[in-house]
Amino acid sequence: MSTQTARRRPASAQRRRPSRRGPARHVVVRRRVVAVLVLLAVTAVVCAVWFTPLLGVRRVEVLGTTELTADQVRRAAAIEEGAPLVRLDVDAVVGRVRELSRVAGVRVERELPGTVRLTIDERTPVAVVKLPDGAHLVDATGRDYATLEQPPGGLPELQAEPAGTPAAVAVLTGLPEELRREVLLVTATTGSDVKLALTAGREVRWGSSADTPRKAAVLQVLMTRDGTVFDVSSPELPTVAGG
């Protein structure tokens, strides 16, 4: 009896162990259906965003223009209405807008559900070059970017050879505002012979664009003296002539 009892106990103990069967079949099926539905929903959303006009471009907003019009910028940007917003090639838009000669820079922003915002940085003229076909505006980089029939007031004239243009513009843009207002003409044939013609028939021999802030400070002191020609090409040894 003891031997039979011993043999029965493992079987009895095994029958008392909790069942380890997996989830019921209907639970598995339900989980798979939910997973498929979620996948289909995600796919539908992705397709709607990437391939349909649901989140397409509806408005192109232009900010920062002064001389350019918003329509000129929109035409240059060539953003197709209804094009999916998330697929917009921002770099291509920037490249097209920057082909406008007056544009120095542009920032493109996308705003859901369908707005593209273009913020324009227009070039600012620092001098004018007078040529037979009109007055050419030059910005702080030395770029000739626009032509007008008449030169605008308040801008100095630039007469420079290509080799001297960068230095001439660098000197002009490096002057203090109160001194820049007195400049009527900037000339240069090379990068080391920049000259400024000021109001009241005064002339400044500037030399190169090196040490422009220091030369400007020296010039402002020299101009307290009588004279018509001020030489600051060597700021350590400035001179005044005429008077």
Side-chain angles (χ1 to χ4, degrees), residues 34-51:
V34 170
V36 170
L37 291 176
V38 170
L39 180 60
L40 290 175
V42 172
T43 302
V45 170
V46 171
C47 290
V49 171
W50 278 83
F51 302 107

Side-chain angles (χ1 to χ4, degrees), residues 23-99:
R25 180 177 177 81
H26 72 277
V27 175
V28 174
V29 172
R30 184 171 59 193
R31 289 177 181 176
R32 290 178 179 176
V33 170
V34 170
V36 170
L37 291 176
V38 170
L39 180 60
L40 290 175
V42 172
T43 302
V45 170
V46 171
C47 290
V49 171
W50 278 83
F51 302 107
T52 74
L54 182 63
L55 291 180
V57 177
R58 300 174 186 174
R59 185 166 71 103
V60 178
E61 181 180 0
V62 178
L63 304 176
T65 56
T66 54
E67 299 297 330
L68 291 169
T69 67
D71 285 340
Q72 285 175 312
V73 175
R74 291 189 186 99
R75 284 195 294 270
I79 299 173
E80 184 179 352
E81 184 176 357
L85 193 65
V86 296
R87 295 175 59 194
L88 181 67
D89 190 337
V90 172
D91 291 338
V93 172
V94 169
R96 291 193 293 268
V97 173
R98 293 201 66 167
E99 289 180 3

Side-chain angles (χ1 to χ4, degrees), residues 8-233:
R8 290 194 193 101
R9 282 177 182 172
S12 176
Q14 186 175 6
R15 286 194 297 269
R16 288 196 299 268
R17 289 177 184 173
S19 174
R20 293 186 179 181
R21 290 184 303 169
R25 180 177 177 81
H26 72 277
V27 175
V28 174
V29 172
R30 184 171 59 193
R31 289 177 181 176
R32 290 178 179 176
V33 170
V34 170
V36 170
L37 291 176
V38 170
L39 180 60
L40 290 175
V42 172
T43 302
V45 170
V46 171
C47 290
V49 171
W50 278 83
F51 302 107
T52 74
L54 182 63
L55 291 180
V57 177
R58 300 174 186 174
R59 185 166 71 103
V60 178
E61 181 180 0
V62 178
L63 304 176
T65 56
T66 54
E67 299 297 330
L68 291 169
T69 67
D71 285 340
Q72 285 175 312
V73 175
R74 291 189 186 99
R75 284 195 294 270
I79 299 173
E80 184 179 352
E81 184 176 357
L85 193 65
V86 296
R87 295 175 59 194
L88 181 67
D89 190 337
V90 172
D91 291 338
V93 172
V94 169
R96 291 193 293 268
V97 173
R98 293 201 66 167
E99 289 180 3
L100 294 171
S101 60
R102 285 185 176 271
V103 174
V106 56
R107 185 172 72 255
V108 181
E109 299 171 281
R110 290 173 286 192
E111 184 177 286
L112 295 175
T115 298
V116 178
R117 183 176 296 108
L118 307 177
T119 303
I120 305 300
D121 178 19
E122 287 192 16
R123 297 184 188 277
T124 302
V126 297
V128 59
V129 178
K130 297 178 181 179
L131 295 174
D133 64 337
H136 292 241
L137 302 182
V138 176
D139 72 354
T141 68
R143 176 170 175 172
D144 176 349
Y145 69 91
T147 304
L148 306 178
E149 290 185 4
Q150 297 295 328
L155 287 179
E157 182 181 356
L158 174 64
Q159 293 179 1
E161 298 295 329
T165 296
V169 172
V171 169
L172 187 59
T173 56
L175 295 176
E177 181 60 31
E178 62 274 16
L179 184 56
R180 192 184 312 152
R181 287 196 294 264
E182 297 194 48
V183 179
L184 302 177
L185 173 68
V186 185
T187 63
T189 56
T190 69
S192 59
D193 65 350
V194 178
K195 294 180 182 178
L196 309 176
L198 307 183
T199 57
R202 295 168 295 173
E203 177 185 298
V204 180
R205 296 174 182 173
W206 200 272
S208 72
S209 59
D211 293 329
T212 286
R214 184 181 179 189
K215 290 177 181 179
V218 171
L219 177 60
Q220 288 176 305
V221 174
L222 287 184
M223 289 174 61
T224 62
R225 305 178 187 178
D226 292 334
T228 56
V229 180
F230 304 88
D231 191 332
V232 293
S233 57

